[in-house]
Amino acid sequence: MSTLLRLIGRRLLALPVMILGVTLLVFVVMSFSPADPARLALGESASSAALEAYREANGLKEPLHLRYLSFLGGMLQGDLGTSSGNVPVTERVAAAFPITLQLTFLGLIIAVVIAAVAGVLAALFRDRWLDQIIRVLSIAALATPSFWLAILMIQWLGEVPGGWGLFPALVTRWVPFTEDPATWARNVALPALALAIPVAGSLTRVVRTAMVEELDRDYVRTAMGAGVPYAEVVSRNVLRNALITPITVLGLRIGYLMGGAVIIEIIFNIQAMGKLILDGVQRNDVFLVQGVTLTVAIAFIVVNILVDLLYVLVNPRIRSI
């Protein structure tokens, strides 16, 4: 038990160090951007005196390390700077990030459900026709890019000429689940599926491999030799043990989903982090790009730490030490 606590403590202690590293990397990279935050904030018609006053007031003329410390201090107080239009970056990120999170986690849930069902069935029917079909489909899904799937789904299922018109091709207005669940589901269905299918393909292969390894272990043969029904051995022991390996790769897949969500949001016109970073790049909005990048990176780190902790908690070999 003490080993388990030490492992959890080690993961939690690593969290601030990794976040600090990400902030430093993002800040340094964005500091070399040719865009002028003062010009961006005040507009092209601003006078030289006004630009100089803005730079002085916002510490833009200070050395890089002092600006970084000031940036850290602002970040700790929830201040990521001001984007174009004189809107706080924190305000824009706070409006967009929950939408990206919804897409990411819905895509994750769909991917995990598909992978769990398909992977278990493939292992239980190993080397039979169902296994072969699932293996071919999982490889095809793994090799298919999300953005290509999104375009195909819009053409086939979206409200476009020649399509079935089941789902909106573009999301003209994001409706929260609490306000209108049906509209929310129609808006999010295609983007979440496009995100989930490639991840489901890779996870299915992992689940199948883990299940096959567990089914070949001695304790399964021993239990069946003792008269325990096969279904009971699978449901009580094999499934639980086989879940440990897929959990280790889940964190990386979540990172893929978050990165993919940025592109999918742009394709479906969803006003979330993807559109936000695109706007920032198009407008040379340094603070906005910096804030969005930092938020996504920190979220990725936190999720991976949580997945690591989940792995530690469900792994009986670590818990029993």
Side-chain angles (χ1 to χ4, degrees), residues 86 89 100 140 158 184 234:
N86 207 27
V89 172
T100 297
W184 176 87
V234 171

Side-chain angles (χ1 to χ4, degrees), residues 74-126:
M75 193 183 77
L76 290 174
Q77 297 173 20
D79 180 11
L80 292 173
T82 304
S83 67
S84 58
N86 207 27
V87 179
V89 172
T90 310
E91 187 177 311
R92 300 190 67 176
V93 169
F97 190 55
I99 299 174
T100 297
L101 272 184
Q102 290 173 52
L103 273 180
T104 302
F105 280 98
L106 187 59
L108 179 67
I109 290 170
I110 294 172
V112 167
V113 169
I114 293 174
V117 174
V120 169
L121 285 176
L124 294 178
F125 293 89
R126 181 175 18 171

Side-chain angles (χ1 to χ4, degrees), residues 38 49-62 70:
L51 292 172
E52 283 300 310
Y54 181 90
R55 293 182 186 118
E56 193 71 39
N58 289 276
L60 298 176
K61 301 180 75 173
E62 293 180 350
S70 175

Side-chain angles (χ1 to χ4, degrees), residues 137-310:
L137 290 178
S138 64
I139 292 172
L142 174 61
T144 306
S146 288
F147 71 88
W148 190 67
L149 269 177
I151 294 169
L152 283 183
M153 287 178 177
I154 289 174
Q155 290 179 332
W156 291 344
L157 305 173
E159 294 171 342
V160 294
W164 291 359
L166 300 177
F167 301 96
L170 297 177
V171 179
T172 53
R173 187 176 74 90
W174 182 263
V175 178
F177 176 81
T178 51
E179 183 180 317
D180 186 349
T183 304
W184 176 87
R186 290 188 77 238
N187 284 341
V188 82
L190 293 188
L193 267 177
L195 274 174
I197 288 176
V199 177
S202 63
L203 276 178
T204 297
R205 293 170 59 80
V206 176
V207 172
R208 180 193 178 279
T209 303
M211 278 288 295
V212 166
E213 288 176 356
E214 283 300 317
L215 288 170
D216 286 342
R217 292 192 185 280
D218 291 338
Y219 75 86
V220 177
R221 286 190 288 272
T222 304
M224 292 182 65
V228 181
Y230 183 67
E232 188 176 332
V233 176
V234 171
S235 60
R236 283 194 176 181
N237 304 99
V238 176
L239 274 177
R240 188 182 59 187
N241 295 333
L243 280 177
I244 295 171
T245 303
I247 287 175
T248 60
V249 299
L250 202 57
L252 295 176
R253 299 301 183 269
I254 292 173
Y256 174 89
L257 283 168
M258 292 188 74
V262 171
I263 299 171
I264 294 298
E265 288 163 7
I266 294 170
I267 293 175
F268 284 95
N269 192 43
I270 298 173
Q271 302 297 320
M273 298 296 271
K275 290 286 287 181
L276 212 56
I277 199 167
L278 181 65
D279 288 347
V281 171
Q282 288 176 333
R283 297 168 185 268
N284 277 331
D285 193 332
V286 177
F287 290 140
L288 183 58
V289 174
Q290 182 176 270
V292 173
T293 308
L294 195 58
T295 304
V296 173
I298 290 175
F300 177 65
I301 290 173
V302 171
V303 167
N304 271 277
I305 292 283
L306 293 176
V307 171
D308 282 351
L309 294 178
L310 179 64

